[in-house]
Amino acid sequence: MIENKEVEKILSKLETLEDDFLAVELLREFNKCSAELGKLLLNLDKNLNHEEWRNLCDDAQKKLNEIIARINNS
C-alpha cells in the first residue's frame, strides 16, 4: 500500500507537470492501480485461496510501484 505522505508527493508532482495530458493519464493510471490493490487487500473475493490472493496482491503492488516510478521520473 502507499502512505498518505507519498500520495501527497505524487499529486504534487502531477500538478507541476507541464504536459497536462500526461499528468491526467498518469493520475488515471495511478488511481486505477491503487484501487485494484485496495480491493485485493480487502479480499472481497472469497473464492480466492491464500496463494492466489497473495500473487494477485504482489502483481497489483508491482503495477502500482511501476506507475509511481513513472510519475517520479516525469
Side-chain angles (χ1 to χ4, degrees), residues 27-38:
L27 178 60
R28 183 175 294 133
E29 197 170 333
F30 172 78
N31 286 337
K32 178 183 173 194
C33 290
S34 61
E36 287 175 7
L37 180 58

Side-chain angles (χ1 to χ4, degrees), residues 21-50:
F21 180 76
L22 177 61
V24 168
E25 288 301 313
L26 290 171
L27 178 60
R28 183 175 294 133
E29 197 170 333
F30 172 78
N31 286 337
K32 178 183 173 194
C33 290
S34 61
E36 287 175 7
L37 180 58
K39 287 177 186 176
L40 284 168
L41 290 175
L42 292 174
N43 197 15
L44 299 176
D45 187 352
K46 302 301 180 192
N47 295 320
L48 293 175
N49 67 41
H50 181 72

Side-chain angles (χ1 to χ4, degrees), residues 1-14 27 30-31 34 68:
M1 214 48 201
I2 187 168
E3 294 182 19
N4 287 341
K5 191 172 187 176
E6 191 172 354
V7 171
E8 290 175 14
K9 180 180 171 186
I10 289 168
L11 294 177
S12 177
K13 174 75 175 179
L14 291 172
L27 178 60
F30 172 78
N31 286 337
S34 61
I68 291 171

